[in-house]
Amino acid sequence: MSILENVGYRYKDAPKDSYVFKNVNYEFEQGKMYAIKGKSGSGKTTLLSLITGLEKCTDGKVLYDGKDLKKMNLDTYRNTDIGIVFQSYNLLPSLTAIENIILSMDISKVKVNNKKEKALSLMKSVGLSENQAKRKILKLSGGEQQRIAIARSLSYNPKIIIADEPTGNLDKDTENDILNIFEHLAKDENKCIIIVTHSQNVCDRADIVYELKK
């Protein structure tokens, strides 16, 4: 479980009373899909950065399994416990689809007997074929690239998947396909899925919706 206790954030060079957000109290549990919505500038992406440990909160605590992120080894946390999916996919275009997934395994140092076999299994789980695995990233559609990004985030079997506007560049049908994958991960694989979104469709399908306000 991930918990935000009275979390506040302001930029280091901002006045002391000028917060992006303040007194945020959210809980995120395994087996559920969460949506975080809010107007532009409300700090949604910043909030994800706090949950992933890329930023530190100004006030309050971000807890993972009861441990304060400020006291944890954040490299280990990001490489084992939490997966990140970006709107822009953040895949390496010089590599094939399967090579992007295997690279993630290498970085996380996860122990896998056959990385290629594992990567193909992950691709299959998000609806992609072995033929697509061999293609360079730019030869894939936006929906296919997002599926690869999800498969990559699963390569070390994290408990939490963080997704920043993962359907923002996709059409409605492809958005629903991606949401089906996230729902499966939450309901059938007991993952905690946290999605920042402007999409009402994502909010409608989430188990819990948090609205972030300035």
Side-chain angles (χ1 to χ4, degrees):
M1 177 185 287
S2 184
I3 299 175
L4 278 60
E5 288 187 352
N6 299 315
V7 167
Y9 182 85
R10 60 178 169 79
Y11 298 109
K12 292 180 181 179
D13 56 352
K16 288 189 175 182
D17 59 347
S18 181
Y19 280 78
V20 178
F21 48 74
K22 202 171 183 180
N23 298 322
V24 174
N25 292 277
Y26 294 162
E27 290 189 4
F28 303 98
E29 298 179 351
Q30 303 294 122
K32 292 183 179 179
M33 185 164 78
Y34 296 82
I36 300 175
K37 68 177 185 177
K39 294 181 179 179
S40 296
S42 61
K44 298 185 300 298
T45 298
T46 299
L47 189 73
L48 292 190
S49 295
L50 298 181
I51 296 172
T52 57
L54 293 171
E55 294 281 353
K56 293 182 180 179
C57 51
T58 308
D59 299 338
K61 296 179 180 179
V62 179
L63 304 173
Y64 174 71
D65 281 350
K67 300 175 185 176
D68 191 337
L69 288 194
K70 292 179 181 178
K71 299 177 182 179
M72 291 177 60
N73 183 319
L74 293 178
D75 288 334
T76 300
Y77 169 65
R78 285 191 291 267
N79 288 332
T80 58
D81 298 303
I82 194 162
I84 306 174
V85 178
F86 302 92
Q87 178 180 0
S88 56
Y89 320 131
N90 280 27
L91 300 168
L92 295 178
S94 61
L95 302 180
T96 63
I98 194 170
E99 286 170 345
N100 268 274
I101 298 171
I102 291 173
L103 177 62
S104 177
M105 295 182 196
D106 292 338
I107 292 171
S108 68
K109 298 179 181 178
V110 63
K111 293 182 179 179
V112 179
N113 291 330
N114 188 322
K115 291 180 181 178
K116 181 179 178 181
E117 188 177 288
K118 174 67 174 179
L120 286 172
S121 175
L122 288 170
M123 289 189 64
K124 185 177 180 181
S125 75
V126 296
L128 294 173
S129 68
E130 187 168 352
N131 183 49
Q132 290 162 315
K134 300 173 183 177
R135 293 180 190 169
K136 291 289 181 70
I137 292 304
L138 297 181
K139 297 291 185 180
L140 298 168
S141 70
E144 289 168 338
Q145 290 185 51
Q146 193 59 290
R147 289 168 188 259
I148 292 297
I150 295 171
R152 179 186 60 182
S153 74
L154 294 169
S155 64
Y156 44 90
N157 197 30
K159 292 181 180 179
I160 301 174
I161 301 290
I162 297 283
D164 190 0
E165 294 282 2
T167 65
N169 294 329
L170 307 177
D171 60 67
K172 188 68 172 290
D173 287 342
T174 308
E175 176 181 71
N176 280 321
D177 289 342
I178 296 301
L179 289 175
N180 288 340
I181 294 170
F182 283 135
E183 283 186 344
H184 165 73
L185 291 172
K187 304 303 180 188
D188 300 325
E189 299 193 22
N190 201 37
K191 305 288 186 190
C192 174
I193 309 295
I194 305 172
I195 305 174
V196 154
T197 187
H198 282 103
S199 168
Q200 187 58 46
N201 186 35
V202 175
C203 292
D204 289 343
R205 293 185 59 173
D207 296 300
I208 295 173
V209 178
Y210 291 129
E211 184 172 8
L212 194 60
K213 299 179 179 179
K214 288 184 74 68

